[in-house]
Amino acid sequence: MPVEFISAVHTDSGASGPAASSRTGLDVDHLRKYARALDDGGFDHTLVAYHSASPDAFQIAQFVATHTERIRPILAHRPGVIFPTHAARALATLDRISDGRLTLHIISGGSDEEQRREGDYLNKEERYERSDEYIQILRKVWQAEGPVSHEGKYFRFEGYYSDVKPVNGLVPISVGGSSQDAYRVGGRQGDIFGLWGEPLKETAEQIAAVNAVADAAGRPHPRIWVSFRPIIAPTEELAWEKAHRTLGVLKDQAKNTELLRHYRTTGRPANVGSQRLLDIAERGEVQDRCLWTAPAVATNAAGASTALVGTPETVAQALLDYVDIGCDLLSIRGYDPLNDAIDYARHVLPLVRQELAHRATASHAA
């Protein structure tokens, strides 16, 4: 399959200034503008993120779908919030509304504190077990030609049937994480597996771990999704000046824990992905071609927080380095979200696509 680009919608214009790192509400006009900018700019997918305090992700994904022509919403969803039969029907309905453009991103949950805000008291291992069972139920319901029943560790129901089915029979499912539990569920169940931006060596090791699980389960390897926060400018010097200005704002924001409320901003993070980013940062601030770890340190690795810094040409080459090790879904969203998305569409996406087209032509000629 072709290499594709992912962004992430932001629901509030107040979260779109330099180094923005939170959502503060819902500005419908801004959301419409943002979604259309991604659609017009040539992004293939956009993440609709989830947090217990944010606008409802299902409704945001529907809004994005109905106000765009081609971009595919990736709906982040926690299995502990909605019963799987209800979710199967709701997701199939949304897929119909979007004309088959929906992808589901399963979030098992890395923070006990955040999970408990919505009444989920399972531990991390149990949450991943539940995700595995949840995905199985979704696919069972979508593919059923008649009523189905289920009795598992976390869910039980009898005689359920949904009249609405996804456009293509199934909604693609993404799983993410950096723990052994995540690799296990993603390898067994994921069509896509999501990673945060680590150095090439560590990223290749994670891909191998996921693929090994898929091989053992007799499944195709999931497509790999890797996430970065690029910082670009016309010259290398200007890019690094911009990067350090952004870092200063990030450090100021990190003093207010509400701005990064999904993750802890002090103390050792609970989730393995953040722990890995911080450990990697201790080995060097700049790694590989232009991977910058300082933003991860400034935010206590709150989410996808490593940057690629340089000219559009440098960042495009860095992204191609990840394509070369097996990543074919490239998530790039900035700390100045809307303006950065517009810049990426103009200056980075075309370079990557031109090089991939050149490679394809050369390969065919050979």
Side-chain angles (χ1 to χ4, degrees):
M1 297 183 73
V3 171
E4 296 177 325
F5 284 94
I6 304 172
S7 185
V9 294
H10 283 249
T11 61
D12 188 283
S13 57
S16 292
S21 55
S22 70
R23 292 181 175 81
T24 56
L26 176 57
D27 179 336
V28 172
D29 290 338
H30 178 78
L31 175 59
R32 183 185 298 109
K33 178 181 178 181
Y34 201 112
R36 289 177 174 170
L38 298 178
D39 205 36
D40 294 342
F43 282 90
D44 301 287
H45 307 262
T46 186
L47 176 66
V48 179
Y50 187 100
H51 182 269
S52 60
S54 296
D56 181 71
F58 267 87
Q59 295 182 65
I60 298 301
Q62 179 179 338
F63 184 93
V64 169
T66 55
H67 288 86
T68 57
E69 298 294 329
R70 51 174 299 280
I71 200 163
R72 301 172 59 91
I74 301 177
L75 172 64
H77 178 63
R78 290 181 183 167
V81 177
I82 301 175
F83 199 77
T85 51
H86 182 131
R89 186 171 74 254
L91 291 162
T93 302
L94 180 51
D95 190 63
R96 286 282 172 183
I97 290 171
S98 69
D99 194 24
R101 286 185 280 156
L102 183 65
T103 296
L104 178 66
H105 182 52
I106 292 290
I107 301 175
S108 298
S111 165
D112 291 345
E113 180 183 10
E114 166 64 8
Q115 296 298 124
R116 290 169 184 171
R117 289 169 180 158
E118 297 190 292
D120 184 5
Y121 286 84
L122 297 183
N123 63 38
K124 184 178 178 181
E125 181 179 356
E126 291 170 331
R127 292 198 295 266
Y128 274 101
E129 287 181 347
R130 179 179 60 191
S131 292
D132 193 310
E133 186 176 339
Y134 199 92
I135 295 168
Q136 293 180 52
I137 293 169
L138 293 178
R139 289 178 173 147
K140 183 187 295 185
V141 170
W142 289 333
Q143 294 177 305
E145 296 181 358
V148 295
S149 300
H150 176 86
E151 185 168 353
K153 182 174 180 180
Y154 299 98
F155 303 104
R156 178 183 177 185
F157 58 90
E158 298 177 12
Y160 182 79
Y161 181 75
S162 172
D163 287 331
V164 60
K165 305 291 185 182
V167 170
N168 297 309
L170 294 169
V171 172
I173 293 177
S174 167
V175 176
S178 297
S179 66
Q180 294 300 319
D181 290 326
Y183 302 154
R184 183 166 57 252
V185 176
R188 284 202 304 237
Q189 301 291 352
D191 301 304
I192 296 167
F193 191 86
L195 297 169
W196 288 344
E198 297 187 5
L200 293 162
K201 177 179 179 294
E202 285 78 5
T203 301
E205 290 169 352
Q206 291 197 84
I207 294 171
V210 174
N211 288 346
V213 175
D215 289 340
R219 298 186 67 246
H221 293 169
R223 300 182 72 198
I224 300 298
W225 161 11
V226 63
S227 297
F228 303 98
R229 302 270 195 156
I231 299 173
I232 62 171
T235 69
E236 299 292 335
E237 181 180 8
L238 289 173
W240 282 104
E241 289 177 0
K242 180 180 177 181
H244 287 287
R245 288 196 304 271
T246 300
L247 183 62
V249 178
L250 278 176
K251 288 178 177 178
D252 288 340
Q253 288 186 340
K255 295 175 184 177
N256 181 349
T257 57
E258 179 59 21
L259 288 173
L260 296 165
R261 63 194 185 279
H262 189 84
Y263 300 93
R264 292 181 180 177
T265 54
T266 59
R268 185 72 169 170
N271 60 307
V272 175
S274 293
Q275 294 171 12
R276 287 177 62 99
L277 292 187
L278 293 175
D279 290 342
I280 287 166
E282 289 183 355
R283 304 203 307 263
E285 186 171 302
V286 181
Q287 300 186 40
D288 295 335
R289 189 183 297 270
C290 62
L291 181 70
W292 192 41
T293 63
V297 176
T299 61
N300 206 29
S305 50
T306 51
L308 298 173
V309 182
T311 64
E313 292 77 11
T314 295
V315 170
Q317 285 300 317
L319 290 169
L320 287 162
D321 292 339
Y322 285 87
V323 172
D324 291 340
I325 63 167
C327 303
D328 55 5
L329 291 160
L330 305 175
S331 176
I332 54 172
R333 54 192 174 108
Y335 285 111
D336 185 0
L338 178 56
N339 292 326
D340 285 343
I342 293 169
D343 283 346
Y344 301 157
R346 290 174 177 167
H347 304 299
V348 177
L349 272 62
L351 292 175
V352 174
R353 287 176 171 149
Q354 288 166 13
E355 173 58 21
L356 292 171
H358 173 74
R359 292 181 182 184
T361 300
S363 175
H364 182 73

